[in-house]
Amino acid sequence: MTQLAADANAFDADVIIVGGGPVGATLALALSQSTAPLDVLVLEAQADFSARRDTRTLALSHGSRLILERVGIWQKLSSPTPITRIHISQRGSFGRALLGADEVGMPALGYVIAHSELQTALHEALLTCGARYLRGAQVSEVTPGAAAAQVHYMREGATQTGKARLVALADGGRSLQIPGIVRTSRDYRQSAVVCQVHTELPHHNLAYERFTEEGPAALLPSGDHYALVWTATPERAQVLLALNDADFLAQLHTHFGDRQGRFLAATPRLSFPLSLHQSQPVTREHLALIGNAAQMLHPVAGQGFNMGLRDAWELAQATLACVPEAIGGTAMLKRYSAGRRLDTQGGIFFTDLLVRAFSNRMPGLRQLRGLALSALDALPPAKSFVVRRMIFGAKG
Ligand SMILES: Cc1cc2nc3c(=O)[nH]c(=O)nc-3n(C[C@H](O)[C@H](O)[C@H](O)COP(=O)(O)OP(=O)(O)OC[C@H]3O[C@@H](n4cnc5c(N)ncnc54)[C@H](O)[C@@H]3O)c2cc1C
């Protein structure tokens, strides 16, 4: 659709996506589904994804499954494990809630997949979807502008410039500063230790979320084992990383109790520092921030990528609904950001509240939390409210 002319009004692409991670790649695939394909350029800093083995697992909501189905990726994943129920408790106090997908007549609350498998499927689809996909392209600058946004990037030793009606920044939020966009942060002073563990009893698709005063811990059914996300202070996380397997499994047992019997084996452990980062505003002239570039959340509710997928999907729909001249224009981006506000602000508020209310030693709070969990468990309308939001995000 875009003509590569040399005059000042020419564009190098209709849409340039900075970052070919899971959110940027999903945007490119969603845009490629149009009957009048747009010219999409994806700039990814890494030259080789196979070099980056991310052993994390991701809990995806049922809503995210629907998006991945529409872009043809879900069908390529070998074995997503459904989560049909989730058991929520707090350590050292009463109160627990059991939420099930049957509460709202859905087949699953969500699914657990391997991050590396998702990334590989997306990467392969990017190679054939019609978008231009440049790997080893490190973007150094993004500038919004009245008629177009511009990017500068370095590839094969040469600096290049690209101009587009819309630049979507999906770089994960760590690499670039954009004029007019402020990124605020809250350091939770927590790290997530992740690995896979085998338990004595089979999981029967039941997930656990256990709140403790040092942070939440989750067990997510994944294949024939559990994926563990254990949040602790950075100092304690270092200790957990350094333990031998037997000592680690013993500490995990003390932390979680024996609902799943004994913990039998663990894979090598990794840790991730946890913070909340939020960019404001998430759009400027001919520029939109999506995924972790717009908001990076604590993984307590497994919402980060789910929210990023909805950013990508809705930005693609807003773009495809425009005539070419209106792509990236003020009206389109206003509609897009207004449409995303409730979901993102609601999700950020809910996640931050969970982390701060449950990782807190304030007198009386433990009892309050216990009462809240018991009330949630006893009230079917409250359960279905929470379950719908787990599945579809803050818009329910
Ligand atoms: C321990 C942990 C557990 C989690 N669990 C869950 C979960 O269960 N469910 C869930 O929904 N979310 C979860 N998340 C969050 C999820 O991992 C992120 O939200 C998601 O990976 C963000 O994807 P992204 O594409 O926005 O960013 P990224 O994955 O960071 O991708 C950014 C891409 O941009 C590229 N890039 C960066 N800078 C540049 C540049 N200057 N030029 C060109 N390319 C660039 C990078 O190489 C990368 O490929 C978890 C996070 C953690 C830490």
Side-chain angles (χ1 to χ4, degrees):
M1 185 176 274
T2 289
Q3 69 284 37
L4 283 167
D7 68 82
N9 294 320
F11 299 100
D12 299 294
D14 293 310
V15 181
I16 295 178
I17 302 172
V18 178
V23 171
T26 302
L27 172 62
L29 296 181
L31 287 172
S32 75
Q33 302 204 313
S34 162
T35 44
L38 297 173
D39 183 11
V40 176
L41 171 64
V42 181
L43 301 172
E44 166 54 47
Q46 293 191 51
D48 178 10
F49 266 109
S50 61
R52 189 173 75 163
R53 295 298 299 168
D54 193 326
T55 55
R56 244 181 309 163
T57 50
L58 291 172
L60 295 189
S61 67
H62 187 75
S64 293
R65 171 187 173 154
L66 300 180
I67 294 176
L68 290 175
E69 274 177 2
R70 287 178 193 153
V71 297
I73 290 297
W74 187 259
Q75 300 80 334
K76 296 191 176 139
L77 302 176
S78 61
S79 51
T81 307
I83 302 174
T84 54
R85 289 169 304 143
I86 179 162
H87 181 283
I88 309 172
S89 63
Q90 61 170 337
R91 190 172 163 210
S93 184
F94 72 97
R96 69 109 173 101
L98 186 64
L99 305 179
D102 52 357
E103 230 71 67
V104 292
M106 298 296 289
L109 289 168
Y111 301 85
V112 181
I113 59 166
H115 187 286
S116 58
E117 193 192 1
L118 174 72
Q119 185 71 72
T120 303
L122 286 166
H123 166 73
E124 283 168 3
L126 265 186
L127 292 170
T128 55
C129 75
R132 286 178 287 147
Y133 176 27
L134 299 188
R135 279 151 290 156
Q138 174 80 39
V139 175
S140 56
E141 199 179 325
V142 174
T143 320
Q150 219 174 37
V151 302
H152 294 280
Y153 62 99
M154 178 74 91
R155 187 159 184 262
E156 292 171 347
T159 303
Q160 312 207 28
T161 303
K163 204 161 92 171
R165 299 179 197 276
L166 173 65
V167 169
L169 186 61
D171 70 331
R174 291 197 196 90
S175 69
L176 295 164
Q177 291 230 321
I178 310 294
I181 293 185
V182 177
R183 195 157 163 88
T184 51
S185 304
R186 181 196 301 284
D187 182 357
Y188 289 118
R189 290 247 338 115
Q190 291 181 354
S191 293
V193 174
V194 302
C195 68
Q196 288 161 10
V197 291
H198 281 268
T199 53
E200 197 175 7
L201 302 175
H203 57 60
H204 297 302
N205 302 97
L206 170 65
Y208 292 93
E209 181 87 50
R210 187 149 174 80
F211 290 98
T212 77
E213 284 166 353
E214 68 180 48
L219 283 175
L220 305 170
S222 174
D224 63 353
H225 54 267
Y226 270 109
L228 170 70
V229 184
W230 183 347
T231 309
T233 61
E235 297 75 20
R236 173 125 158 94
Q238 285 311 309
V239 173
L240 293 173
L241 288 180
L243 290 174
N244 65 38
D245 283 1
D247 291 342
F248 177 74
L249 293 170
Q251 297 232 3
L252 183 58
H253 189 258
T254 311
H255 202 68
F256 252 102
D258 48 16
R259 288 189 178 83
Q260 282 300 131
R262 284 175 303 132
F263 290 94
L264 302 176
T267 58
R269 303 176 278 280
L270 282 179
S271 95
F272 297 83
L274 302 178
S275 314
L276 166 67
H277 299 280
Q278 196 179 354
S279 298
Q280 288 285 3
V282 292
T283 59
R284 282 213 53 198
E285 303 90 330
H286 296 275
L287 173 70
L289 277 62
I290 57 173
N292 272 16
Q295 65 276 319
M296 188 192 286
L297 310 184
H298 192 291
V300 58
Q303 282 303 309
F305 177 54
N306 289 298
M307 199 176 276
L309 265 187
R310 295 193 288 273
D311 287 348
W313 180 256
E314 292 195 19
L315 185 61
Q317 301 319 303
T319 306
L320 295 175
C322 283
V323 294
E325 299 69 37
I327 291 175
T330 312
M332 175 200 137
L333 290 175
K334 241 186 176 167
R335 265 198 312 278
Y336 164 74
S337 59
R340 292 299 300 134
R341 194 164 298 127
L342 174 63
D343 186 22
T344 53
Q345 294 310 308
I348 290 168
F349 174 78
F350 175 66
T351 303
D352 189 50
L353 181 75
L354 270 185
V355 178
R356 297 205 288 152
F358 278 91
S359 314
N360 197 313
R361 293 186 164 82
M362 210 153 84
L365 207 53
R366 189 183 284 189
Q367 287 72 13
L368 252 174
R369 291 188 299 241
L371 284 174
L373 284 175
S374 304
L376 174 62
D377 198 51
L379 295 172
K383 273 190 178 181
S384 78
F385 179 87
V386 173
V387 166
R388 287 199 69 77
R389 269 132 201 94
M390 287 169 86
I391 294 176
F392 296 113
K395 286 182 181 170

